[in-house]
Each structure stands twice: as structure tokens, then as C-alpha cells.
Amino acid sequence: MEWKGVFPALTTPFTANDELDLPMFEKGLNAQLSAGVHGVIIGGSLGEASTLTTHEKKQLMEFALEKVDSKIPVILNIAESSTKDALVQATFAKQCGAAGLMLLPPMRYKSDDRETVEYFKTVATSTELPIMIYNNPVDYKIEVTLDMFAELAACKNVTAVKESTRDVSNVTRMRNRFGDRYKILCGVDTIAMEELLLGADGWVAGLVNAFPNETVAIYELCRAGKIEEAATIYRWFMPLLELDIHPKLVQYIKLAQTQAGLGTEYVRAPRLVLAGEERKRVLKIINDGIASRPSLPQNAATKNKSAAYA
């Protein structure tokens, strides 16, 4: 398990009857594999984790593992209110065959630093699976500070961070303090290229659900030092990437997937499908982006991966 590259936080497709749409899930998953992503994450915030049952998570995990066929790691997200429930999910992930965990701080209760570290340590010591801490104080109101990461360093399987503080300088702070102890993956689409150039190891991406080839191309070009080529794609991408930093990112990204032919708009209540002027506005951003989609340079790494997944 290597925390490196593009890891889509997959959306969860539903039918009109509010059931899992596994054929559409497969279509989206195949598009990610063909683009050359390096891993996939099931049941994240974008995957509507808070509304999924354990049975549905199991269906998604088993289905993804079968289709991926060990080519890339499949990661399960844990977002629970109690330590007890988080431990149950960690055991469940191991039983399902997950390659690793993405772990959020406790939900609903705003735990202090000591409580948050203890929560992470308790989950980490209960499993051998590698863990990526999801650090998103903007949306979840708990920041995992450098001092907290210093305490977590005692847990050998806490090996990465999804860096979603929206402060690009945190990449440099983490490197200065810990060197390569933690892999760093950008978790905010609108600053992904900046963080990759500052030394981030990867990108937990959202709009990749609708635009997998462009997302992987930016990562590969940055890794190859082809900055201007990457920046050209990134500039085109930015109006679309901004859909990732809105409270309705699930609806926005699912609409983008629909327009790209890789999903449907169905969401699970209390979310509602976009309507009226809001839908028209978001749809224009998406359609303008699709109409002006840039040509992508041939990339040997991506091309080879695509062939391997064919």
C-alpha cells in the first residue's frame, strides 16, 4: 500500500428508487481505471458516507474489489460518532479486503486535541491496515495540528494525511517537521497543483469522478516536471474544480458526472437534486468546461496503465 498518486473519492450512485446503482458504479470505476488512477476511496464525504448503511458499504467494497482485481488499492473511509463504532468499521474494512483506511476525527462531537489523538490511536492500534488521517478543519471543525501528528507518529500504521486545511503552506510545515514520515495527499481540488509542486505525494480528488483523464494528466505532468503543460490543463479545470469547495459538492459533482456520461444526478435525502437557477448556473459551468476541454499530451505512464486495465 503506497499513498501516492491520484485517489478518487468516489461518489455513490443511486437509482431513482434510492438503491445502489452498481452498473453505473462500474461504469465510473472503469473510467477511473482507464485513466490510470492509483487507488480509490469508498464511502468518503463525497460518497455520502453519512447516509450509507454498513450493508451498502459492504456491497460497494466487494464490488469494487472484484472489478479492480488487485490492480490498485481500495480504501474505506471511517466517519463515525463513537470510538466503538469506528472500531467496528475498522474490523469490517479488514474483513472486506480494504487495503487501507481514511479516518476522520469523531463526528458531531467537537473533540479537543487530547481526545482526537486518543481516538485516532485507539483505531490505529486495533488494526494493521495503513491509515490516512483526514485533516479538514474547515468542514469538520477539528484541526489535526503538527503537535498532534507528532504524537500519532508512535502509531506505525498512521502513514498519511489527506491535507484539506486549505493552507498550502501546511505541506511545507509537515515536511519541515516530519520529513517523509507522513505521505501528504492534497484533499482540495482547487489547490492540488500548488501542493503537488510543494512536495505533496498525491491528490485525493473530487472532480476526477467526471474528468479522470485530466486529473491524472495534471498529476503525471507535475511529477515529470512539465509545469507549463500541467498549468494549461489546470487553468482550464479551475472553474470546474471550484465545484469541489461548496457545501453541495455532492450534487455539483454528480451533475458533472451526468454530463460526462459517467453518473446520474440522484442523491440521498436530505440532499435534493439541483433545481432552478442554481442548476442552470452549475450546468453552464460544466457544459462550458466540456465544450472547451483541452487536448491532453500523450503520457507514457498513463498510457501503460490504461493498457494494463483494458
Side-chain angles (χ1 to χ4, degrees):
M1 173 63 212
E2 187 175 13
W3 299 106
K4 186 176 181 179
V6 175
F7 282 68
L10 296 178
T11 58
T12 301
F14 299 109
T15 67
N17 295 323
D18 197 36
E19 297 173 345
L20 293 183
D21 187 344
L22 292 179
M24 187 57 74
F25 183 68
E26 181 177 8
K27 185 175 183 180
L29 183 60
N30 285 340
Q32 302 302 320
L33 294 174
S34 294
V37 301
H38 305 83
V40 291
I41 299 171
I42 304 290
S45 305
L46 190 53
E48 298 175 73
S50 62
T51 68
L52 295 178
T53 66
T54 297
H55 176 66
E56 287 172 328
K57 288 182 185 178
K58 187 173 188 289
Q59 283 183 280
L60 290 169
M61 283 294 301
E62 290 178 344
F63 191 86
L65 286 163
E66 178 187 349
K67 300 303 176 182
V68 165
D69 193 25
S70 302
K71 295 183 179 74
I72 57 172
V74 179
I75 308 303
L76 182 67
N77 179 61
I78 295 181
E80 302 298 328
S81 298
S82 74
T83 302
K84 181 179 179 180
D85 288 341
L87 292 172
V88 169
Q89 289 295 309
T91 301
F92 160 78
K94 178 69 174 178
Q95 292 171 343
C96 281
L101 304 173
M102 184 168 76
L103 180 59
L104 281 89
M107 297 288 98
R108 298 183 182 90
Y109 172 62
K110 187 179 182 299
S111 54
D112 65 20
D113 290 3
R114 181 175 66 94
E115 291 169 324
T116 303
V117 169
E118 184 63 23
Y119 172 85
F120 286 148
K121 283 185 173 181
T122 301
V123 176
T125 55
S126 77
T127 181
E128 296 178 351
L129 292 176
I131 293 173
M132 174 171 61
I133 300 296
Y134 187 176
N135 190 13
N136 185 349
V138 176
D139 292 321
Y140 296 109
K141 312 308 175 187
I142 296 173
E143 180 173 4
V144 187
T145 65
L146 295 183
D147 287 344
M148 293 164 73
F149 275 112
E151 293 187 66
L152 291 171
C155 300
K156 292 183 179 180
N157 59 331
V158 177
T159 51
V161 56
K162 179 182 176 184
E163 168 50 50
S164 297
T165 63
R166 305 194 190 182
D167 181 353
V168 295
S169 62
N170 251 13
V171 174
T172 302
R173 292 191 183 99
M174 288 288 290
R175 286 282 179 252
N176 285 347
R177 180 83 175 260
F178 303 110
D180 293 328
R181 169 61 182 82
Y182 294 106
K183 296 296 184 183
I184 302 171
L185 285 78
C186 179
V188 182
D189 279 356
T190 54
I191 55 174
M193 183 170 172
E194 290 85 348
E195 292 204 348
L196 288 170
L197 295 179
L198 285 169
D201 300 285
W203 179 1
V204 177
L207 266 298
V208 68
N209 283 279
F211 302 97
N213 293 305
E214 290 82 358
T215 306
V216 172
I218 290 170
Y219 169 79
E220 297 289 1
L221 289 167
C222 286
R223 190 174 69 162
K226 298 180 179 180
I227 308 307
E228 190 53 43
E229 289 182 67
T232 298
I233 303 168
Y234 193 56
R235 291 174 189 131
W236 160 81
F237 214 173
M238 187 55 66
L240 294 158
L241 296 179
E242 288 175 339
L243 301 177
D244 181 59
I245 55 173
H246 189 278
K248 292 187 181 179
L249 78 163
V250 173
Q251 291 96 315
Y252 289 2
I253 291 175
K254 280 193 166 183
L255 181 55
Q257 279 184 283
T258 302
Q259 294 305 106
L262 297 176
T264 66
E265 294 184 61
Y266 298 122
V267 289
R268 178 160 283 177
R271 289 184 177 88
L272 295 176
V273 171
L274 298 176
E277 290 302 316
E278 181 182 26
R279 187 179 186 279
K280 291 180 182 178
R281 176 179 58 80
V282 175
L283 194 57
K284 184 178 187 307
I285 293 170
I286 295 166
N287 287 338
D288 285 351
I290 291 174
S292 60
R293 216 165 182 168
S295 298
L296 300 180
Q298 288 294 321
N299 182 283
T302 302
K303 186 176 181 181
N304 289 340
K305 283 184 179 179
S306 298
Y309 298 144

